Amino acid sequence: MSTPERLIESTRELLWERGYVGTSPKAILERAGAGQGSMYHHFKGKADLALAAIRRTAEDMRATAEGVLDGPGTPYERIEAYLRRERDVLRGCPIGRLTMDPEVFASDELRAPVDETLDWIRERLAGIVEEGQEQGQFAPSLDGEEIAATIVATVQGGYVLARASGSPAAFDAGVRGLLSLLSPR
């Protein structure tokens, strides 16, 4: 792996573990096994490297979601597959956790890929809900965008509850509850 790739991958992991504020250039260099000047040789600084790492994480998150949401099955089954897909629940969401980081929140540039990714997931889920309505699987009175927001809120809130309790049980309970509410008529 090239030095820039090692820096990006190390930053991705550190952002997930510690957030932006808790990730120092020294920690990035140590994790990447890179020399002191490496980060500044390949990137303008910590923010530039973090942006590359956040974008990569966002791309991976979209690809993973797309793989499940575009998979086989009815709209309900695809939403269920998305909610039940394997996750490291106790680590939290690598994108969602950045919304709580004050420096990411304060930076339009760093926040943009986070917001775009969550918007993309909501839009994709809303389309699946609407597809389910067209097929008669979901009630016509449902608002696809509101249901999509509820799905994303359940996932993100589930991460928070699981981390707070130290157990994935809270995440799983939220998923089961939402699926029972969405269960086809």
Side-chain angles (χ1 to χ4, degrees):
M1 195 182 306
S2 70
T3 300
E5 284 299 309
R6 287 195 328 267
L7 289 166
I8 290 170
E9 289 304 313
S10 296
T11 302
R12 288 178 64 190
E13 284 296 315
L14 288 165
L15 288 173
W16 195 4
E17 291 169 16
R18 304 177 183 181
Y20 183 84
V21 172
T23 298
S24 68
K26 181 180 177 184
I28 294 168
L29 293 171
E30 285 176 4
R31 174 93 39 118
Q36 260 186 328
S38 295
M39 182 168 75
Y40 298 100
H41 176 73
H42 297 288
F43 300 94
K44 294 175 191 167
K46 177 183 169 182
D48 188 43
L49 175 54
L51 182 59
I54 293 168
R55 284 181 176 152
R56 175 84 51 85
T57 298
E59 289 167 11
D60 285 356
M61 189 170 163
R62 287 182 194 187
T64 299
E66 197 166 38
V68 174
L69 296 172
D70 288 347
T74 66
Y76 176 85
E77 290 167 342
R78 292 179 0 242
I79 290 170
E80 179 180 31
Y82 171 75
L83 287 167
R84 293 188 188 270
R85 78 170 177 78
E86 189 173 327
R87 292 176 163 85
D88 192 349
V89 174
L90 294 179
R91 280 188 82 189
C93 176
I95 288 291
R97 85 175 318 262
L98 294 172
T99 64
M100 302 306 290
D101 195 301
E103 289 192 36
V104 172
F105 184 76
S107 167
D108 291 341
E109 190 174 35
L110 292 176
R111 193 177 64 250
V114 172
D115 189 37
E116 290 163 7
T117 300
L118 294 172
D119 279 348
W120 179 88
I121 290 171
R122 281 192 306 268
E123 288 172 17
R124 187 70 185 92
L125 287 165
I128 293 171
V129 170
E130 290 161 8
E131 181 185 335
Q133 288 173 307
E134 291 167 8
Q135 295 175 9
Q137 191 171 27
F138 297 130
S141 61
L142 292 180
D143 182 300
E145 290 180 15
E146 289 177 0
I147 298 301
T150 302
I151 294 167
V152 172
T154 298
V155 170
Q156 294 302 316
Y159 282 127
V160 170
L161 294 174
R163 287 176 57 93
S165 68
S167 168
F171 183 96
D172 296 340
V175 166
R176 283 191 311 272
L178 178 57
L179 288 172
S180 71
L181 292 172
L182 288 177
S183 185
R185 322 186 263 145

